[in-house]
Amino acid sequence: MVGIDHPGRGMLMRSRWWAAAAAGLSLTLVASGCGNGEDSDAQVEVFSWWTGGGEEAGLNALIEVFEEENEGVEFVNAAVAGGSGTNAQAVLEGRLQSQDPPDSFQGHAGASLQDYIEAGYLAPLDDFFDEQGLHDALPEQLVDQISYEDSVYSVPVNIHRSNVLWFNPSVLEEAGVDEAPETLEDLVQALEAVDSETDAIPMAVGAQWTVDHLLESILLGSLGPDAYNALWEPGADWNTPEVTEALEIFEEVMSHTQEESAAEDWQEASRRVFEGEAAFNIMGDWAAGYFDELEAVPEEDYDWAPSPGTDGTYMWLSDSFTLPEGAPHEEQALAWLELVAGQEGQDVFNPLKGSIPAREDADPENYADSPYLEAALQEWQDGPELAGSFWHGVTVGNRWKNDIDTAVGLYLQNQDLDELNTALHEAAQTE
Ligand code: GAL
């Protein structure tokens, strides 16, 4: 078991981190085009949060194909900036509640989509699935995650992996760390070595959500896939020695993060790894798309491994596009869904986005230029253990997710690990 060596130091680092968060967080709306209010039949308004490095490139590639194939239809990109949709989801909720839906929006397969379905916001897509042959093209388990009472409600465009440890090989070498840490104990030792032997930040984080993201990988790495998956059953017991141990490791890792970064998003943490300002970052594989955009050389400028303790498990999530009830331009929305559902659309989008296709008939050749994606696709096709990402909507709906985020935010202020544990337990009791 990993001990807690420097609580005082960690506390100082985290309180500065929090101060920066309070000062720096801003909400940027990147709604472009005409959007609300303007009425034109020949348009489609698509809502997402893909505005930053790596993500925007994937979306833009899809938009280009859409415009070629749908001449005369104006594409209205209603993306709202902010990694993992922290800002976008709040804006979307407001629009859905006031019956002002976009023509299609990006959601996550799993529990978060169920929230929208149960609220009556989404139209079923059964006929579309039949016409497009999607029941054959998509893995059955994934179709289960987008279904409700025997109907399907969204179109998955990809599979992302959440549990990836990205690292800078030169910084590890300087620290005398010979290989990527395989266990959480190895990770803590490596963080300590980076701390004492180099000037680099041992573990880069960004805005608060990246800490939620880090937490899920540490829970998985410490508990293993079965116990991790069991945490998300409503009423699950989080008051266990195993969860407490995982949280102690989380605290230890947090004590090796940088002082001020909350005004930054995930791209900034990835960039720090690429530039050697940081040794490690635990982030989803959208980082692979961003590293490509930075023209970073894989396995030289940066490298990767499963986040410690999670080898063999794919902590997955899937971006999935919807047809909202009352979408103003349904015909064009269906044309958009046809593009994201198809092999061509998925193979244009995913290599840039840093994800593998949701469809099972993808051509691996399209992913062979990226050593990361080639390996990820192979591992996915080999049938790894699966764990759902909580932060990216698979295992819990919005209420539970927000409760965890609130608890993590409080922890970042007060460093009270017992309180965090209690709040996580309580969040699990009220589903
Ligand atoms: C996830 C989303 C990914 C990526 C990431 C960072 O929630 O599924 O596609 O956008 O956030 O923004």
Side-chain angles (χ1 to χ4, degrees):
M1 165 168 170
V2 176
I4 309 292
D5 289 331
H6 314 294
R9 183 164 174 277
M11 209 172 286
L12 176 67
M13 285 178 138
R14 285 193 298 276
S15 56
R16 287 198 196 142
W17 188 95
W18 181 255
L25 276 181
S26 65
L27 186 149
T28 319
L29 293 182
V30 190
S32 62
C34 48
N36 304 332
E38 193 162 315
D39 200 17
S40 155
D41 277 349
Q43 68 166 235
V44 64
E45 188 195 17
V46 175
F47 186 98
S48 75
W49 56 84
W50 294 333
T51 65
E55 340 220 72
E56 193 179 21
L59 177 61
N60 284 344
L62 274 178
I63 295 174
E64 205 177 306
V65 179
F66 181 85
E67 286 175 339
E68 269 165 35
E69 290 178 354
N70 296 274
E71 220 175 296
V73 179
E74 184 194 3
F75 190 95
V76 179
N77 180 0
V80 172
S84 89
T86 42
N87 302 326
Q89 284 165 3
V91 174
L92 178 66
E93 187 61 39
R95 289 190 60 175
L96 294 173
Q97 274 177 20
S98 54
Q99 295 175 350
D100 172 33
D103 295 309
S104 182
F105 66 84
Q106 170 204 356
H108 281 135
S112 99
L113 191 79
Q114 304 290 330
D115 280 354
Y116 294 122
I117 301 171
E118 283 167 24
Y121 292 149
L122 298 185
L125 290 166
D126 299 304
D127 292 346
F128 177 83
F129 261 61
D130 290 342
E131 279 157 29
Q132 304 293 323
L134 292 180
H135 285 286
D136 294 331
L138 296 168
E140 207 182 317
Q141 267 180 305
L142 181 56
V143 174
D144 283 350
Q145 299 285 335
I146 51 169
S147 300
Y148 182 75
E149 293 180 351
D150 296 330
S151 281
V152 270
Y153 284 88
S154 76
V155 178
V157 65
N158 64 5
I159 301 289
H160 265 307
R161 185 173 193 171
S162 156
N163 58 321
V164 188
L165 178 75
W166 305 95
F167 58 92
N168 182 303
S170 310
V171 177
L172 263 57
E173 197 182 329
E174 195 189 334
V177 176
D178 296 336
E179 51 188 322
E182 280 180 25
T183 64
L184 285 164
E185 198 168 4
D186 296 341
L187 174 66
V188 170
Q189 278 168 12
L191 295 172
E192 284 168 354
V194 174
D195 234 347
S196 63
E197 303 303 320
T198 79
D199 292 334
I201 298 161
M203 174 68 75
V205 291
Q208 183 172 309
W209 77 264
T210 70
V211 178
D212 295 294
H213 185 106
L214 177 69
L215 175 63
E216 71 179 18
S217 265
I218 292 179
L219 287 170
L220 177 64
S222 185
L223 296 166
D226 291 344
Y228 169 88
N229 285 332
L231 288 178
W232 310 107
E233 297 294 330
D237 187 5
W238 287 60
N239 279 330
T240 64
E242 290 78 16
V243 171
T244 302
E245 181 181 334
L247 294 179
E248 284 169 0
I249 298 168
F250 168 68
E251 173 158 81
E252 175 68 19
V253 172
M254 284 304 297
S255 76
H256 294 285
T257 60
Q258 82 269 39
E259 292 179 32
E260 295 177 20
S261 63
E264 300 174 351
D265 214 322
W266 66 268
Q267 285 96 341
E268 197 55 22
S270 301
R271 187 199 56 76
R272 285 181 189 278
V273 170
F274 164 53
E275 291 185 353
E277 286 172 29
F280 296 104
N281 171 233
I282 290 181
M283 188 39 60
D285 51 9
W286 40 92
Y290 184 48
F291 285 129
D292 279 351
E293 198 168 296
L294 294 174
E295 297 185 6
V297 180
E299 295 162 323
E300 278 181 41
D301 292 332
Y302 71 98
D303 211 337
W304 63 88
S307 58
T310 71
D311 192 17
T313 301
Y314 217 100
M315 181 137 64
W316 71 278
L317 60 126
S318 170
D319 295 311
S320 210
F321 281 91
T322 57
L323 178 67
E325 282 290 357
H329 310 97
E330 187 176 319
E331 188 189 327
Q332 288 79 7
L334 287 169
W336 167 252
L337 293 179
E338 190 174 333
L339 173 63
V340 299
Q343 197 185 20
E344 185 200 353
Q346 298 206 355
D347 283 351
V348 160
F349 173 75
N350 287 307
L352 293 168
K353 183 66 168 60
S355 40
I356 57 172
R359 295 179 67 100
E360 292 186 302
D361 55 2
D363 181 356
E365 271 305 302
N366 292 321
Y367 299 83
D369 283 349
S370 156
Y372 170 78
L373 286 179
E374 191 177 30
L377 186 57
Q378 185 62 56
E379 187 163 351
W380 179 255
Q381 288 173 343
D382 287 347
E385 289 257 23
L386 295 181
S389 160
F390 96 77
W391 182 253
H392 303 281
V394 178
T395 60
V396 297
N398 292 330
R399 194 279 310 156
W400 192 341
K401 173 181 158 169
N402 290 338
D403 284 358
I404 296 179
D405 187 43
T406 303
V408 166
L410 273 174
Y411 169 75
L412 291 172
Q413 280 179 299
N414 66 16
Q415 288 86 46
D416 187 333
L417 205 62
D418 288 343
E419 193 181 308
L420 175 63
N421 202 338
T422 304
L424 293 175
H425 178 75
E426 276 166 12
Q429 308 314 308
T430 43
E431 196 53 15

